[in-house]
Amino acid sequence: MGTAFVGGALSLTLAALAYPSMLGLDTVSNSNDRIIANTQWGPLTEGDRDFVVKVRAAGLWEYPLGLIGLQKGQSPAVKTASEHLVDGHASLDTTCRKLGPMLNITLPNVASPQQVAFVNQINAKTGKDFDYEFANILRQTHGSIFNTIAKVRSTTKNTLIRALADQANDTVLDHITVMEQTGLVDFDQTLFQQTTPPKLPQSELTPPAPPAGQPMVVLTPPPTATSTPVDIDGAAAGGGPAGGGANPAPAPTPTPTQ
């Protein structure tokens, strides 16, 4: 495919590596350290690339699930957790959509089949069953990605990826906390499922690549958003992220748009 430059910043080794072939719930890549591009912000590994795709994909199912939780949640704690999902993932999504073009990473527009199945499973429930399923599945998935974030943050040599990992760490820890504060988490069951994920085919674990020319789905921040995206200019200069914290937000009313 030759050499591609994004704003004069990026030299790709293989354009085909712009999108992952497989993403699991608890791993980033089978060859995490393989460098696929050298950028002005540091080398970009296959694992770094997969991490950005994973963060984007997480928002594509957790953000709409947060909107569903605001409508169907029975307890105030579940509604609060739903607010955090919408607020936090809208902010992370803004960061991912900025980093994608800078690092020549193709971002998905649809969550993986496994993640879509989570949404359908939770949305099929009503009343207290909805609250229980909501809290436990989201506690499980956030617990799984939390370990991945720590690995990426401790090993990446890319300044922009470190900044995203910092923001993701704060957001995911916040979401773990609000799920636990519902009082509904069955820790024995959740931790077992978190540490013993099902063996699924690759097609179930990876969000499909978007068709060429398809407009990018935007996760709109709530009107009174409190989470802030990474300061890309500061991060690009080596200053790290600004903001990115996850705090309670009043109930939002946005919907995903293209």
Side-chain angles (χ1 to χ4, degrees):
M1 297 294 292
T3 302
F5 293 93
V6 178
L10 192 61
S11 175
L12 287 178
T13 55
L14 287 174
L17 293 176
Y19 202 78
S21 60
M22 173 178 164
L23 286 175
L25 193 63
D26 58 347
T27 60
V28 178
S29 171
N30 290 330
S31 51
N32 186 64
D33 297 329
R34 183 156 65 107
I35 295 174
I36 59 173
N38 290 302
T39 81
Q40 69 183 57
W41 306 286
L44 184 77
T45 67
E46 190 172 354
D48 293 337
R49 183 274 320 274
D50 293 2
F51 177 63
V52 178
V53 172
K54 180 182 285 292
V55 174
R56 164 73 170 173
L60 292 172
W61 75 278
E62 293 177 23
Y63 177 99
L65 190 55
L67 295 176
I68 293 171
L70 289 170
Q71 299 298 317
K72 296 183 66 172
Q74 298 296 296
S75 72
V78 167
K79 289 186 179 292
T80 295
S82 299
E83 293 169 5
H84 283 239
L85 286 179
V86 174
D87 189 19
H89 280 292
S91 181
L92 280 173
D93 188 69
T94 298
T95 301
C96 287
R97 286 185 289 104
K98 289 180 180 178
L99 295 189
M102 294 175 73
L103 297 172
N104 202 35
I105 296 173
T106 301
L107 299 176
N109 266 339
V110 180
S112 73
Q114 180 194 38
Q115 293 167 329
V116 172
F118 285 145
V119 176
N120 293 336
Q121 179 180 343
I122 297 170
N123 194 29
K125 303 294 183 179
T126 58
K128 293 182 178 179
D129 289 340
F130 174 88
D131 285 7
Y132 179 85
E133 206 83 349
F134 178 95
N136 281 275
I137 288 179
L138 286 164
R139 173 58 180 83
Q140 171 200 338
T141 56
H142 281 86
S144 296
I145 191 63
F146 198 46
N147 295 326
T148 297
I149 294 169
K151 182 177 181 181
V152 170
R153 180 60 180 84
S154 66
T155 60
T156 186
K157 297 178 181 179
N158 188 285
T159 301
L160 298 183
I161 298 298
R162 280 198 297 272
L164 175 62
D166 284 342
Q167 183 188 2
N169 182 78
D170 291 345
T171 302
V172 170
L173 179 57
D174 173 72
H175 291 175
I176 287 175
T177 301
V178 292
M179 294 308 155
E180 293 172 349
Q181 288 174 344
T182 65
L184 298 172
V185 175
D186 180 336
F187 284 96
D188 288 339
Q189 172 184 299
T190 296
L191 295 180
F192 174 78
Q193 293 174 338
Q194 178 181 314
T195 55
T196 314
K199 301 297 182 182
L200 297 176
Q202 294 184 12
S203 59
E204 294 294 308
L205 299 173
T206 306
Q214 184 181 71
M216 188 174 295
V217 171
V218 175
L219 305 186
T220 308
T224 53
T226 60
S227 296
T228 54
V230 166
D231 175 1
I232 296 298
D233 292 336
N247 299 306
T253 56
T255 55
T257 59
Q258 290 191 355

